[in-house]
């Protein structure tokens, strides 16, 4: 299958001036535009510590509301108690970051995409969406970056790398080009295009926050790291425009942003439903939270959480960025009071505690600074001035989901030994079909330009041959490693507009790691080109 690609380098966004705020005892004097920036080592540590603390506080603050409010604002009280920050020790927003940080700490800064992919492949924590699809594909022998490529991974535009990129921004102070370089390597393990740009946008904002105290400039600096023609850049520009139009009305900005962008999620879990895990929408919520928060830690937390959808990941990153801006010393005590008592407790699935990841990040940051042409002069860290440069353009669009048809719908035809079971389609009880032997066939008829067949994947998943309009179109493999949760059995886009059929024939063989030959279909999702 041929997929259009756009790899022409976008025009550099010029005229961006990242202003420098002189902080007593932190940023040293004697600098002007074009000159290297300077930090004391104490200031660097305070800001990195603030970034990790902000993430911990943000994810714990928003955890009770995660995906509990989709397409609507969260109203009412959002209580906080400092002891709740212990929730962060068990959150993928943090421990997945640390998988890749550990690769850098063991293999080094020259680690390859294969190094990151292998660490991810053998990881033991639960995963969903683009992360789960990537781990599944890597265990099937698909190499990165194809593990994040939309030809194989329908979740390529999902939020996954965006919520795992914070550690890169924290190790690239004032160095957005270095941030983009590491983001491209790590991000393409599980994402593509706008899914990778989410991590670059966040990394660019973290990098800028080391030297900037104005939220709007931080957002603009992050925006300058991604191609202007991308969908991600488009939604961030809209967010900034709405903030300027309604400078004191974040509710109205949220409403108008959602009216344009909170729809047509291609993800098999979000298509035709209120659930939206797209990187673009959730990233724009972070941008709006930062803009309306205006550098106030508590206000940023509150607003970003109230936007809903991924309402623990979003305040985690927003609070992490503000934590760098303010430094750990500037985070209000009411939010950080629970951290000292657990500062040496390890995060799940890692060798890192809060103190350990802070020191690890400082060490990596110093190496990155020196590699970029900076130097450490006693207690003074000299960082070369580095303007943001947009990444090359790559875009993918599955189209608009127009139908979501359960396995009991007349669009499906099943022949052979299929069992009928009750399933859950995300809204209510539906019909699903399961085969556990070879030689059974399922046909799905639809009218559109793209299709996804979703169902149960398991450790006893089987294989099937797939045919589109009578032509062989590859193999479906329903085996998935333990603690890995995905339902994208097979998908295809780029079809001519009109009626099509997908025929699936179960096979007698299975993945060598599988304990069976189970194939279960829940739903067929139909898309049409925009």
């Amino acid at each position: 299958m041929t997929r259009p690609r756009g790899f022409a380098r976008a025009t550099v966004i010029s005229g961006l001036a990242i202003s420098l705020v002189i902080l007593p005892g932190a940023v040293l004097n004697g600098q002007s535009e074009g000159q290297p920036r300077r930090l004391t080592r104490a200031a660097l540590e305070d800001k990195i510590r603030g970034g990790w603390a902000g993430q911990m506080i943000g994810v714990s603050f928003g955890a009770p509301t995660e995906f509990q409010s989709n397409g609507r604002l969260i109203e009412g009280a959002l209580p906080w108690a400092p002891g709740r920050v212990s929730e962060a020790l068990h959150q993928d927003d943090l421990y997945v970051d640390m998988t890749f940080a550990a690769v850098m700490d063991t293999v080094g800064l020259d680690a390859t995409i294969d190094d990151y992919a292998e660490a991810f492949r053998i990881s033991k924590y639960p995963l969903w969406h683009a992360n789960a699809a990537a781990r599944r594909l890597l265990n099937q022998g698909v190499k990165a970056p194809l593990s994040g490529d939309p030809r194989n991974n329908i979740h390529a535009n999902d939020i996954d790398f965006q919520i795992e990129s914070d550690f890169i921004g924290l190790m690239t102070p004032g160095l957005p080009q270095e941030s983009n370089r590491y983001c491209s390597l790590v991000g393409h393990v599980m994402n593509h295009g706008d899914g990778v740009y989410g991590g670059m946008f966040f990394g660019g904002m973290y990098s800028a926050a080391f030297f900037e105290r104005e939220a709007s400039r931080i957002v603009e600096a992050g925006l300058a790291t991604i191609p202007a023609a991308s969908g991600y850049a488009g939604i961030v520009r809209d967010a900034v425009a709405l903030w300027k139009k309604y400078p004191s009305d974040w509710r109205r900005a949220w409403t108008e942003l959602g009216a344009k962008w909170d729809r047509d999620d291609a993800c098999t879990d979000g298509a035709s439903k209120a659930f939206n895990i797209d990187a673009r929408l959730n990233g724009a919520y972070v941008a709006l939270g930062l803009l309306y928060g205006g550098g106030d830690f508590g206000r940023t937390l509150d607003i970003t959480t109230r936007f809903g959808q991924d309402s623990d990941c979003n305040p985690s990153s927003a609070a992490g960025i503000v934590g760098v801006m303010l430094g750990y010393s500037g985070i209000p005590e009411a939010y950080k009071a629970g951290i000292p008592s657990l500062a040496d407790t390890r995060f799940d699935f890692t060798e890192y505690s809060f103190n350990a990841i802070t020191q690890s990040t400082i060490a990596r940051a110093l190496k990155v600074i020196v590699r970029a042409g900076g130097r450490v002069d006693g207690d003074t860290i000299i960082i070369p001035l580095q303007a943001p440069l947009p990444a090359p353009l790559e875009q993918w669009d599955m189209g608009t989901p127009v139908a979501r048809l359960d396995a009991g719908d007349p669009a499906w035809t099943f022949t052979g030994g299929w069992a009928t079971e009750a399933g859950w389609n995300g809204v209510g009880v539906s019909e699903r079909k399961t085969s556990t032997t070879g030689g059974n066939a399922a046909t799905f008829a639809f009218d559109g330009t793209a299709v996804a067949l979703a169902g149960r994947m398991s450790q006893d998943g089987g294989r099937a041959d797939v045919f589109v309009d009578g032509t062989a179109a590859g193999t479906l493999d329903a085996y998935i490693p333990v603690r890995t949760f995905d339902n994208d059995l097979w998908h295809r886009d780029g079809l001519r507009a009109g009626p099509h059929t997908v025929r699936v024939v179960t096979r007698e063989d299975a993945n060598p790691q599988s304990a069976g030959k189970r194939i279960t279909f829940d739903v067929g999702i139909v898309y049409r080109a925009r």
Side-chain angles (χ1 to χ4, degrees), residues 92-166:
D92 57 354
D93 306 64
L94 289 138
Y95 59 65
V96 179
D97 294 42
M98 296 178 196
T99 299
F100 304 117
V103 172
M104 294 181 179
D105 289 343
T106 54
V107 178
L109 294 179
D110 292 323
T112 67
I113 193 170
D114 290 334
D115 294 319
Y116 297 118
E118 179 59 16
F120 197 56
R121 185 187 72 82
I122 65 174
S123 61
K124 303 300 182 186
Y125 36 70
L127 289 175
W128 295 265
H129 293 277
N131 282 337
R135 182 199 270 163
R136 169 174 60 85
L137 291 161
L138 290 166
N139 276 278
Q140 290 176 4
V142 177
K143 300 289 188 181
L146 292 177
S147 53
D149 191 292
R151 287 172 290 190
N152 305 309
N153 190 333
I154 199 172
H155 307 285
N157 286 335
D158 283 358
I159 199 173
D160 303 66
F161 176 59
Q162 179 165 286
I163 69 173
E164 295 150 10
S165 63
D166 307 71

Side-chain angles (χ1 to χ4, degrees), residues 397-402 447-450 494-497 526-530:
D397 183 4
M398 188 79 171
T400 300
V402 294
D447 189 322
T449 57
L495 301 172
R496 59 169 175 78
V526 183
Y527 305 79
R528 290 182 185 154
R530 299 182 197 280

